[in-house]
Amino acid sequence: MTSLRTTSTPRTRIRSLGVATAAAGLLVSLLAAGPAAATPDPGDVPVPGTVSAERAAEARAAIASGEIPGVDEIVHTPNIEHLANIPKDTLKGTNSDLAFQGRYAFAGNYDGFRIFDISDPRSPKTVAQVLCPGSQNDISVSGDLLFLSTDSSRSDDSCASVSQPATVKESWEGMKIFDISDIANPRYVASVETNCGSHTHTLVPKRNDVYVYVSSYAPNAAFPDCRPPHDGISVIKVPRDAPERAAVVSFPILFPGDGPDGGGNPGGPTNPGVSKTTGCHDITVLLSEDLAAGSCMGDGILFDIKDPARPRVIDQVQDNVNFAFWHSATFNQKADKVVFADELGGGGAATCNAEVGPNRGANGIYDIVGKGDGRRLVFRSYFKIPRHQADTENCVAHNGSLIPVRGKDIMVQSWYQGGVSVWDFTDSRRPKEIAYFERGPISATTPVGGGSWSAYYYNGHIYSNDIAKGFDVLKLSDKRTDKAQRIRMHELNTQTQPDYFRDFDRASGSDD
């Protein structure tokens, strides 16, 4: 039997709201109160809207005709098997990102995080559930450390915090660090406050230290700790043997400029329908190449991270025709391509339909040409799932990872209620889907946020964290991807993209 875990706080604060965070009193009070609701943030939380009676009728007709699946009906290609689903339990908030280490999967949730034992993928077991509200609880692991992002303004840095306006100087947002050496009893050991919070983060391990790139955005002159211009990222240095000494060591400017928000995309009205760049949403690093790709609202960037505390931008691109919000990035293994995802509608809109079309709310595939500081991002094509979804389903390109197949560029990706897609971009001009798994709409009449937030390949299986339905395990059996089952990793944070063929143990003596 598992129980709700709570943890002590690395530093105590007392706010005008009277919140005291004495560690000894946390367990009883939080168990009695139940999970707290995290404050939603823009960019990644599906927000139910409205659908006209005509559109609702169209959705019902599409279900009746078989054009789209029925409510909650599971459909998939023959090469994917649905092995398991673990519904939400104690943590009732929005499920978010995933990380992996050994036989464990770590699942973020706006109310905290959950740890699964996945040694038997057909029957995952819950090891721990940690209540620590603060959206969106983007999660990563490295050695004995677990990292958790907080991007909602809180009364303090504790796991007993409550929502508090960002206009209050004492409010807190940033990075939380846990010790997971005892996997069943994670221990909260440190916190670092960062400007504008931490929407997502990316780990850059360097020997005895872990650097953390903190992505955040949306400054406001009324926010004491998040004022414009916010044209860079916070870099935290965490000593592995003394995480309590973690601290921000730099704030590299990625978008220098004379404007009030720096030199990034100005957004509308100059570029209608495009997000103004006021920071980054997500960064993926490819350590083997000292390279990173940043998805920064209105801009995609390529930068050198040889000095992890001082990343240097070497190229910057925009797509003011079809991209609304540059959300995430994935390199291919050879580092001569990068896939950028556009989160049109902020994750809360129905964008996988004929009205929106195939090029918006899609992935943009870019070739990386040239060498060194002369490398440039060159657009090649778009990829979007080829199945229309109902107008009650939030659907857009979201988090995914490579499937390690030598000589091929294949990735698995979440699409919210569009499900989980496996697609091949070996030919960057002609991408194609080769497998999928999805559920029918949560409702055929009313927009309800849900679907796969993250879908990643790890040690022979695909794991998906569904916003509403819980933790899914899928098995992909296809001659184009079967060789990937030979690759075995000890750890996977997809934003710290590994060199699958050099840095990790293999299940067999060859990966040919």
Side-chain angles (χ1 to χ4, degrees):
M1 174 180 287
T2 61
S3 61
L4 177 65
R5 302 289 181 185
T6 57
T7 56
S8 58
T9 306
R11 53 194 173 101
T12 300
R13 293 183 177 184
I14 299 177
R15 293 285 181 260
S16 59
L17 294 179
V19 178
T21 58
L26 278 178
L27 181 61
V28 174
S29 63
L30 289 184
L31 282 174
T39 301
D41 283 314
D44 273 308
V45 58
V47 179
T50 59
V51 169
S52 68
E54 179 183 1
R55 290 294 178 86
E58 290 175 356
R60 291 193 297 270
I63 292 172
S65 68
E67 182 182 344
I68 63 173
V71 172
D72 285 340
E73 179 188 358
I74 290 177
V75 296
H76 54 84
T77 47
N79 54 357
I80 280 188
E81 181 184 1
H82 188 206
L83 299 184
N85 171 261
I86 308 299
K88 291 182 186 180
D89 187 23
T90 303
L91 305 176
K92 305 299 185 184
T94 296
N95 281 335
S96 58
D97 211 6
L98 293 169
F100 304 88
Q101 186 180 86
R103 69 175 191 268
Y104 300 107
F106 302 81
N109 178 285
Y110 276 39
D111 287 335
F113 63 93
R114 189 174 182 179
I115 303 175
F116 295 98
D117 183 332
I118 55 173
S119 52
D120 179 358
R122 292 182 178 272
S123 183
K125 305 297 183 185
T126 300
V127 175
Q129 299 186 69
V130 177
L131 175 63
C132 198
S135 65
Q136 56 187 15
N137 278 339
D138 190 55
I139 193 167
S140 297
V141 292
S142 183
D144 287 338
L145 300 179
L146 180 147
F147 300 83
L148 206 63
S149 283
T150 300
D151 193 33
S152 57
S153 186
R154 312 297 297 179
S155 55
D156 56 44
D157 62 347
S158 77
C159 287
S161 69
V162 296
S163 296
Q164 181 167 288
T167 53
V168 177
K169 171 63 179 172
E170 293 79 12
S171 293
W172 186 90
E173 300 179 67
M175 182 64 56
K176 295 169 181 170
I177 304 171
F178 292 76
D179 184 317
I180 54 171
S181 54
D182 180 352
I183 198 71
N185 295 281
R187 184 169 57 91
Y188 188 6
V189 295
S191 69
V192 181
E193 188 168 15
T194 55
N195 291 341
C196 299
S198 175
H199 194 70
T200 66
H201 66 268
T202 304
L203 304 186
V204 185
K206 289 288 183 179
R207 295 177 291 279
N208 295 325
D209 300 310
V210 180
Y211 289 87
V212 186
Y213 290 169
V214 175
S215 296
S216 55
Y217 55 94
N220 189 304
F223 299 164
D225 297 322
C226 182
R227 288 177 172 148
H230 184 69
D231 46 12
I233 58 173
S234 297
V235 179
I236 299 172
K237 183 178 180 181
V238 184
R240 288 188 185 276
D241 58 356
E244 68 278 1
R245 295 190 352 234
V248 174
V249 294
S250 66
F251 188 86
I253 303 301
L254 304 179
F255 303 99
D258 298 328
D261 297 302
N265 197 316
T270 303
N271 297 315
V274 178
S275 295
K276 178 170 67 174
T277 298
T278 59
C280 289
H281 179 277
D282 211 345
I283 293 168
T284 295
V285 298
L286 190 57
L287 297 179
S288 60
E289 301 291 334
D290 288 325
L291 199 63
S295 290
C296 303
M297 304 181 72
D299 294 88
I301 59 174
L302 190 69
F303 49 105
D304 182 294
I305 60 167
K306 190 170 296 183
D307 181 345
R310 297 171 182 81
R312 296 185 301 106
V313 175
I314 56 180
D315 197 22
Q316 176 181 352
V317 292
Q318 297 177 358
D319 179 346
N320 295 318
V321 176
N322 287 313
F323 260 50
F325 188 94
W326 295 66
H327 176 276
S328 50
T330 303
F331 288 101
N332 72 333
Q333 191 59 65
K334 292 183 179 180
D336 59 7
K337 297 173 192 168
V338 62
V339 174
F340 289 102
D342 172 29
E343 194 185 46
L344 174 68
T351 69
C352 299
N353 52 31
E355 181 181 5
V356 174
N359 295 335
R360 299 176 63 231
N363 296 304
I365 305 166
Y366 287 74
D367 283 353
I368 301 173
V369 300
K371 296 181 179 180
D373 286 354
R375 285 173 287 192
R376 295 292 178 264
L377 294 164
V378 179
F379 174 77
R380 294 304 186 205
S381 67
Y382 297 106
F383 171 79
K384 192 172 183 178
I385 57 173
R387 301 173 308 286
H388 287 165
Q389 306 296 305
D391 287 333
T392 58
E393 295 181 277
N394 58 303
C395 175
V396 74
H398 212 235
N399 294 350
S401 74
L402 280 187
I403 297 178
V405 181
R406 187 179 292 279
K408 296 289 185 180
D409 298 326
I410 299 174
M411 70 178 289
V412 58
Q413 187 176 19
S414 62
W415 288 78
Y416 287 122
Q417 286 192 70
V420 175
S421 174
V422 179
W423 61 288
D424 186 326
F425 62 103
T426 307
D427 183 342
S428 55
R429 297 179 188 272
R430 296 175 181 82
K432 59 184 179 181
E433 185 175 72
I434 62 175
Y436 73 86
F437 166 91
E438 69 165 291
R439 290 180 171 90
I442 296 174
S443 171
T445 58
T446 304
V448 180
S452 176
W453 177 292
S454 299
Y456 301 140
Y457 185 92
Y458 178 70
N459 290 355
H461 293 83
I462 293 169
Y463 298 90
S464 168
N465 211 17
D466 189 288
I467 290 169
K469 301 299 183 182
F471 184 71
D472 286 307
V473 185
L474 308 175
K475 179 67 174 179
L476 176 65
S477 300
D478 190 291
K479 64 181 181 180
R480 292 165 289 192
T481 59
D482 285 347
K483 289 182 179 180
Q485 297 178 42
R486 303 176 184 178
I487 305 298
R488 286 293 184 269
M489 297 170 287
H490 174 64
E491 199 169 81
L492 178 65
N493 304 292
T494 58
Q495 287 76 28
T496 306
Q497 194 169 316
D499 184 328
Y500 292 93
F501 304 109
R502 188 181 72 179
D503 296 342
F504 294 92
D505 294 333
R506 296 167 174 82
S508 66
S510 171
D511 56 24
D512 294 331

